[in-house]
Amino acid sequence: SHIRMIVASANLTEPGYRTNHEVAAVVDLTPIDAHTTLAGEAIAFLRSLLLLVPSPGEPLQTVARARAFLDSVERRLDGWKPPRGRMAIRQHLVCTAPATGPDSSSRSALEEALRLCRARGGAPSDVRVASPFFDVEEKESRVVAALAKAMARGTRRRFRLGVPALRDGTASAPRLVAPRALLATAGRYVDRVQVEALPSQDADKNARIWHAKMMGFGSDRYTGVMVGSSNFTSAGLGMAGHRNAEANILTLVDHVDFSRAPSRLEAVWPEMEAINDPEWAEWLGPAIDHEEEEQAAARVLPAGFLSAVYQAGAQRHVVLSLEPAGLPTEWRIDAVGGETRGLIASAEWRQAGASPTVTVDWPPAQPPQKLLVAWDGQEAFLPLNVDDQRELPVPAHLERMSADDMLGILAASDPSAAFRVWARQLEPVSDGELDAAVPTDLDPLRKFDLHATFLHRVRRRARVLAQVRENLERPVAGRQALEWRLRGLIGIEALGQRLAREVVEANGNADEALLTLADFLIVLRDVRYEPEASSLGAKEFHAVYRPFLHELAETLASVMNDQRAVLSSEPMQFWERVVDRCRE
């Protein structure tokens, strides 16, 4: 009942997530308020990108999965109601993209944005730009010229340009990381040009490299802001020649009486330092190492390496899709991370028949962390996809998690925060901390700790299990979220397996561990789900939950049957009655 679209400047990198200054536009859709046109445009754009993925004939498995996801979003949108009437705030997807075939045409984010502005209330008389990267140009900026020529005629036109600046405190003139052609070209076409230095810190004075891409359009009838991935370059905005694949959201707000929307949209722009005399500034030219983002920093694989898919389960494989015509003469693929293992080399591949699809056995329980391709003295990573993440083994460090640890995490009001607390305990302890610590087996009061008695252990676990039940009864967004609650890495199924392992590994305490496992199933049997208006309904919840509980009880019963020799008869009878209740 909810779809969220995010269009952003941030790359999927640590700087993009944690340290850069980025910008994002969020569009939320619900069954009673869905911008179905915008969602349809986004789905069509993503489908067009899949046409650019090379394939040896049959569509790659990863491409097929991406298409299936887009199909599922489209089906979910079916019947959702769009907003009615002319709205004061409108959002549009504007994209740059190359042609994907003989029957398709290329796209320009700049042309699409200007066309939408003109349809809203004429050409803009006020344009604002903030970008970290620009074309390398000496005399005239092609993008500035195209934008300025499209601005309104017969009125005063203003062009505001935000560029990166170097601040070392010693230069006598501002040092701007952009080509002077931006200023010179704008001065030939518009009445007023303002230059501003992009922020290098956030409100808390933390250093933030500017990576956001923003454009503003204004007239006496509307205010518009475009944010997304397009740099202020010919390739980014889709001028003639090479075109990147870029996505942006254009938000247009009408100027109507008493509306606060235009001022709120203007407030999206951060404060910038005005360059009072830009002609006097030192224009250093554009950053030449941006590689029109970060692609030049990472080597590009030869086109013959199409994809790699990890298939988990009892028999584990890595399936490689190759295009023989695009491969170098000699190459090698290694699995790296933890230990490096050779996966396959060109000689071995040719000896096996040079097939475009290669299946390589993978004996280790844990999947490869990365695949590294080496050829002609060069190296680059090949992305490794996962066929079915539900088949993946538990990460090795989670094997150290006890049943009590898992119980505490699942019972917490914020399980993710509780998990982070647990994970921090795995970090190495400093020598100073070791000196201050009292080893458990040397603590003279340990043997008299009341919390270690059977009664206290039972009471404490009963309280924790009750909280686990309350968390299960909380509303859940949908089936996928419920499946994760039940079968996730730290979910109910994993907890049941951990409690069963306590019975198997108990040293003289198997009966107590079995009673805890029985209490666990009783708690699950007593779950009373409480849905809310926007959550998964009770009928849908139990359609997933009841079969899960039945399956879990059967699995645990089978494990306990193998332990009859070490279990007393009365606890075992009680356990079997509990299992029978869960089968009802």
Side-chain angles (χ1 to χ4, degrees), residues 395-412:
H397 66 276
L398 288 187
E399 287 295 331
R400 286 179 274 175
M401 182 179 287
S402 68
D404 281 322
D405 291 334
M406 195 171 289
L407 265 171
I409 291 171
L410 289 175

Side-chain angles (χ1 to χ4, degrees), residues 22 38 91 164 209 254 260 263 328 343 389 445 541:
E22 307 281 4
L38 185 63
Q91 289 185 299
I209 295 175
D254 291 339
R260 296 181 180 179
S263 61
L343 202 65
Q389 64 178 5
L445 297 180
F541 174 89

Side-chain angles (χ1 to χ4, degrees), residues 50-85:
L50 295 178
L51 298 176
L52 300 174
V53 180
S55 175
E58 290 288 325
L60 296 175
Q61 182 180 357
T62 47
V63 171
R65 187 164 62 183
R67 286 177 177 157
F69 168 74
L70 295 175
D71 290 344
S72 71
V73 175
E74 203 165 43
R75 287 193 300 271
R76 190 180 301 268
L77 280 167
D78 187 34
W80 287 19
K81 298 179 181 178
R84 296 182 179 179

Side-chain angles (χ1 to χ4, degrees), residues 11-33:
N11 293 316
L12 291 178
T13 61
E14 187 169 350
Y17 179 64
R18 291 188 177 274
T19 60
N20 287 349
H21 191 134
E22 307 281 4
V23 63
V26 178
V27 180
D28 287 326
L29 302 94
T30 64
I32 59 174
D33 184 14

Side-chain angles (χ1 to χ4, degrees), residues 147-188:
L147 180 54
K149 290 175 183 178
M151 293 175 68
R153 303 297 177 91
T155 185
R156 290 186 62 81
R157 298 183 291 178
R158 181 173 63 161
F159 192 99
R160 288 179 286 177
L161 181 64
V163 301
L166 298 180
R167 297 170 173 85
D168 54 16
T170 61
S172 58
R175 308 183 69 200
L176 308 179
V177 188
R180 185 179 288 272
L182 297 171
L183 176 65
T185 306
R188 286 195 290 270

Side-chain angles (χ1 to χ4, degrees), residues 437-482:
V438 178
T440 300
D441 55 350
L442 299 182
D443 184 350
L445 297 180
R446 173 72 175 180
K447 64 184 69 176
F448 303 110
D449 185 3
L450 289 178
H451 293 284
T453 65
F454 172 74
L455 182 59
H456 279 79
R457 287 197 302 272
V458 170
R459 286 178 174 174
R460 181 172 57 81
R461 279 195 162 178
R463 288 195 299 270
V464 176
L465 284 170
Q467 186 58 52
V468 170
R469 186 194 66 215
E470 288 183 19
N471 287 347
L472 272 175
E473 291 172 343
R474 286 161 47 192
V476 63
R479 281 178 174 259
Q480 188 174 6
L482 176 58

